[in-house]
Amino acid sequence: MRPPPHGHLYAWVFLAACLLTACVYWPGMAGAYLFDDYSNIVENTALHVHSLAPEDWRRAWQSSPSPELRRPLAMLSFALNIYFTGLDPWPMKLTNLLIHLANGALLWAVLDRLLRFPGARLDPRAARWTAVGVAAAWLLSPINVSGVLYVVQRMEALGQTFVLAGLWLYLHGRTRMIEGRGGILPCASALIVAGGLGFLCKESAALLPLYSFLVELTVLRFAAAGGRGTRQLWALYGLILLLPVMAGCIFVLPRLLTPEAFAWRPFTLHERLLTECRVVTGYARAILLPTPRQLGFYHDDLQLSRGWLDPPSTLLCALLLAALAATAAALHRSAPLFALGVACFFAGHLLTATVIPLELVFEHRNYFPSAGLLLAAADVLGWLTPRMPRLRWSIVILAFAGFCTITLMRAIEWGNPIRFAYAEAAEHPDSPRAHYELGRTLLVASGYRQDSKLIGPAEQAFEQAARLPNAGAAPYAGLIVASGHMHTAVDAAWWNGLAATLGRTPPSPEDIAALQSIYLCQLHAECPTQTPELLRAFLEALSHNRPDARLSAVYGAFAANQLHDYRLAADMLSDAVALSPGNLDYRLELANVQVLLGDYLSATKIATQVLDMNPTLSQAEQAQSLLHAMP
């Protein structure tokens, strides 16, 4: 590897990029929590640690709302924020910004080391400028705004911290191997330990061995002093890359390829794969040529691709992606950095844009892939302007100016909840979620006062959301709950629309949450009790005969508290426990119903089980109260 030239200038340039990043993001620090922030942080009481008791921190570590995706290191970081600064979102967002800046420094360190290998085909000065330029562009890239200002996406950013650190350590080990000083153990340790720690933040960190393998294919080419090191590398990748891929294909992939895996999504596997051709192409455009209209938090207005020509852009995007991949493969020796950047972009979407039934679009999925595409773009710029430095610098300056402007504009929007909600609804007029969130934001800001000037626009936003295709139950629930809070008459058309929506397709998680919001509003006497109307809505949701733990649990609670049918409640809650055995709240609700039925033996058994299953402090107190109340 070539020795680095005198580098104080590059350090000052990178420091300036960090300060500029902090400045453009600063207006966004004043923003509020959003979307999944509530279930993961605000309403997740196990995270709200206010003592140094080890048991409290253990519960926080295990407090992820999803029983499948635990992400304990990320949850622990949220708990640390809450312990020192409470639930104020400002320190949460500031922590995210500091992680983003640290990741920029790690990216610079990785590129600075990688681009000085002979296989990168850059002279030392070009290598240093490319490394600092790509890292600075990545810090300021508008597509990373949601990865920083959307608090819960610290999971992604923190996971990539370990990915970048693992890549740097891996390159350090590879330097030793090339110089004949050993290094296979540091390489293996970097990938396994850093990848494992990153996985405890978010599952996307599991791609670390794939990224390092792509580095080998393009830049390093498994070079080592003597043949033994090369054989060791191939053995390493056989263990940490090939075997996990084979295991996934055997044990996980068959489940994902069944129709049942997509039963709760409004698209099939075929439609998802076709649509992702357009989504990934859109990501690439948003990374390299971003516009405010193209970016946004809500993308549920995206038209599904139902065939190669439905819409026609599906085939065009698929061909563009295939051409990009083929070009990168063909040039992997002559243009290794372009090939590596494109390969990392595609690899970064391997989990989120293929067969896993996730939502179709989220910008924060580009947090690492955007670095790859920026590296490829920098390499292309070097090809096109080999003897035109003024043109090259003009393009770079214009790109940075555009990135800074758009990121600043987005940060200003994120810094005010009402401004953000209006901007999202304006930029995505066909998004039911954007209009619903506008209505909800205005309603909360109104304080539910009938004389507030925000009430009318809030209702209009809910009604606009309800009129859009695939709106779901949330807009109707918003209208019903808003009317209940203000003690005004609930329009029968809203109940009819709610029931019709729930009966049309199997309810999504958002639909079930909407039903639950109405039930809780009536339970707490914040809304007038309308049991027949709510019962009709529940029955429509249940008519699809698709088992769902949360729907069973909410209906069970409704049956107990409003229908006073404790046998039905016990049956529904038993179904919820069977479908989600790790959810202790469902077990406690079932135990309470068993007490109402007089089945004290079953209630005692359930409460004892809860105490043996690592409950949160609140859950443990509920279980203890049940046991003490037994006759």
Side-chain angles (χ1 to χ4, degrees):
M1 189 172 71
R2 305 185 187 103
H6 186 65
H8 293 302
L9 174 63
Y10 307 104
W12 282 111
V13 170
F14 181 75
L15 179 60
C18 288
L19 292 174
L20 184 58
T21 300
C23 289
V24 298
Y25 270 101
W26 201 255
M29 297 293 104
Y33 288 115
L34 185 69
F35 207 48
D36 285 344
D37 287 341
Y38 289 97
S39 60
N40 283 274
I41 301 170
V42 180
E43 298 164 1
N44 187 358
T45 56
L47 271 185
H48 303 172
V49 177
H50 302 291
S51 75
L52 294 175
E55 188 66 16
D56 290 347
W57 290 96
R58 181 186 62 79
R59 292 191 184 102
W61 171 278
Q62 301 173 337
S63 65
S64 174
S66 170
E68 294 84 18
L69 307 175
R70 307 306 297 179
R71 301 169 181 173
L73 281 183
M75 304 312 293
L76 184 61
S77 77
F78 295 134
L80 285 166
N81 258 129
I82 292 171
Y83 178 77
F84 287 107
T85 60
L87 272 172
D88 184 352
W90 193 93
M92 290 277 191
K93 292 175 184 283
L94 177 62
T95 303
N96 283 17
L97 177 58
L98 293 175
I99 292 171
H100 184 55
L101 294 174
N103 286 345
L106 283 170
L107 177 61
W108 178 36
V110 168
L111 292 175
D112 191 58
R113 181 175 286 272
L114 174 66
L115 301 190
R116 286 188 279 120
F117 281 96
R121 294 176 175 267
L122 291 179
D123 64 71
R125 186 172 181 272
R128 300 302 295 273
W129 277 120
T130 301
V132 73
V134 170
W138 180 82
L139 280 173
L140 291 160
S141 176
I143 205 166
N144 286 331
V145 168
S146 63
V148 178
L149 296 180
Y150 184 21
V151 175
V152 77
Q153 283 314 314
R154 180 184 305 175
M155 297 174 178
E156 179 68 29
L158 199 57
Q160 299 311 315
T161 301
F162 290 105
V163 168
L164 292 166
L167 284 173
W168 187 86
L169 292 170
Y170 178 82
L171 292 173
H172 176 73
R174 291 292 285 114
T175 302
R176 292 175 57 88
M177 293 181 69
I178 291 171
E179 294 172 351
R181 296 185 291 131
I184 190 64
L185 287 179
C187 288
S189 300
L191 298 182
I192 295 170
V193 175
L197 291 172
F199 189 84
L200 296 178
C201 300
K202 198 167 184 182
E203 298 70 30
S204 54
L207 294 170
L208 170 59
L210 178 57
Y211 297 141
S212 63
F213 184 69
L214 295 173
V215 168
E216 292 289 350
L217 290 177
T218 53
V219 177
L220 301 184
R221 298 175 189 168
F222 297 93
R228 183 168 179 266
T230 300
R231 291 192 297 271
Q232 289 175 334
L233 285 170
W234 280 108
L236 173 64
Y237 282 106
L239 287 172
I240 67 173
L241 189 59
L242 182 60
L243 287 181
V245 169
M246 291 175 62
C249 290
I250 294 171
F251 298 108
V252 179
L253 191 59
R255 288 191 290 124
L256 296 175
L257 298 180
T258 61
E260 292 76 17
F262 286 80
W264 59 290
R265 288 295 188 190
F267 47 79
T268 64
L269 173 59
H270 176 69
E271 291 169 340
R272 174 178 171 77
L273 292 175
L274 288 176
T275 306
E276 286 298 330
C277 294
R278 293 165 44 231
V279 170
V280 174
T281 304
Y283 287 154
R285 179 185 167 193
I287 293 168
L288 300 177
L289 298 169
T291 63
R293 169 74 179 177
Q294 184 183 16
L295 297 163
F297 187 78
Y298 302 109
H299 293 276
D300 53 318
D301 53 347
L302 178 70
Q303 179 186 354
L304 284 176
S305 291
R306 304 189 185 279
W308 288 111
L309 297 175
D310 183 14
S313 57
T314 304
L315 179 59
L316 176 62
C317 289
L319 292 174
L320 286 173
L321 294 177
L324 182 61
T327 302
L331 299 178
H332 77 283
R333 289 191 177 274
S334 58
L337 297 183
F338 172 77
L340 174 61
V342 170
C344 284
F345 173 72
F346 282 119
H349 291 294
L350 195 60
L351 297 178
T352 58
T354 54
V355 298
I356 300 176
L358 303 171
E359 289 205 37
L360 293 171
V361 190
F362 269 128
E363 289 175 10
H364 57 254
R365 294 172 181 169
N366 291 275
Y367 195 73
F368 184 92
S370 59
L373 208 54
L374 290 170
L375 175 61
D379 201 35
V380 170
L381 184 61
W383 306 344
L384 298 178
T385 58
R387 298 180 181 178
M388 295 180 284
R390 290 185 179 179
L391 175 61
R392 183 186 310 146
W393 281 108
S394 297
I395 294 172
V396 169
I397 291 170
L398 285 173
F400 271 91
F403 278 22
C404 289
T405 301
I406 297 174
T407 298
L408 178 61
M409 290 170 58
R410 296 198 70 199
I412 291 171
E413 290 176 356
W414 279 74
N416 181 289
I418 293 179
R419 185 189 298 123
F420 177 80
Y422 268 114
E424 288 293 319
E427 291 165 6
H428 295 273
D430 297 325
S431 165
R433 191 176 285 170
H435 287 283
Y436 168 78
E437 285 297 325
L438 173 59
R440 189 194 63 80
T441 301
L442 294 174
L443 191 64
V444 171
S446 75
Y448 297 97
R449 300 188 313 274
Q450 292 187 43
D451 60 344
S452 172
K453 294 181 179 179
L454 299 177
I455 294 298
E459 291 183 347
Q460 291 172 10
F462 285 137
E463 289 170 348
Q464 174 62 21
R467 285 193 292 268
L468 292 170
N470 303 317
Y476 294 109
L479 289 164
I480 292 167
V481 170
S483 184
H485 273 285
M486 294 183 297
H487 307 289
T488 57
V490 178
D491 192 330
W494 300 342
W495 283 112
N496 292 334
L498 177 69
T501 299
L502 293 170
R504 191 178 305 123
T505 58
S508 67
E510 290 181 359
D511 293 333
I512 298 169
L515 266 178
Q516 187 175 28
S517 69
I518 301 173
Y519 158 67
L520 291 175
C521 190
Q522 295 188 12
L523 178 68
H524 298 146
E526 296 168 344
C527 297
T529 301
Q530 294 181 278
T531 301
E533 291 85 349
L534 186 52
L535 174 60
R536 177 189 170 199
F538 270 115
L539 293 178
E540 290 288 354
L542 291 162
S543 66
H544 304 281
N545 295 318
R546 196 198 71 191
D548 186 283
R550 186 176 181 185
L551 179 58
S552 297
V554 176
Y555 185 55
F558 169 75
N561 293 305
Q562 282 187 236
L563 300 181
H564 305 295
D565 187 338
Y566 303 125
R567 177 49 56 195
L568 173 61
D571 290 342
M572 297 305 299
L573 288 162
S574 295
D575 290 344
V577 170
L579 291 166
S580 183
N583 192 308
L584 302 189
D585 290 327
Y586 297 166
R587 291 177 182 266
L588 288 168
E589 191 74 31
L590 176 58
N592 280 311
V593 172
Q594 297 289 11
V595 170
L596 294 172
L597 286 170
D599 188 353
Y600 302 117
L601 182 62
S602 295
T604 300
K605 181 180 178 181
I606 294 171
T608 304
Q609 288 174 342
V610 168
L611 292 173
D612 293 335
M613 295 177 67
N614 296 323
T616 65
L617 181 60
S618 173
Q619 291 167 340
E621 289 174 348
Q622 292 178 60
Q624 292 285 4
S625 297
L626 275 169
L627 292 173
H628 292 155
M630 295 296 174

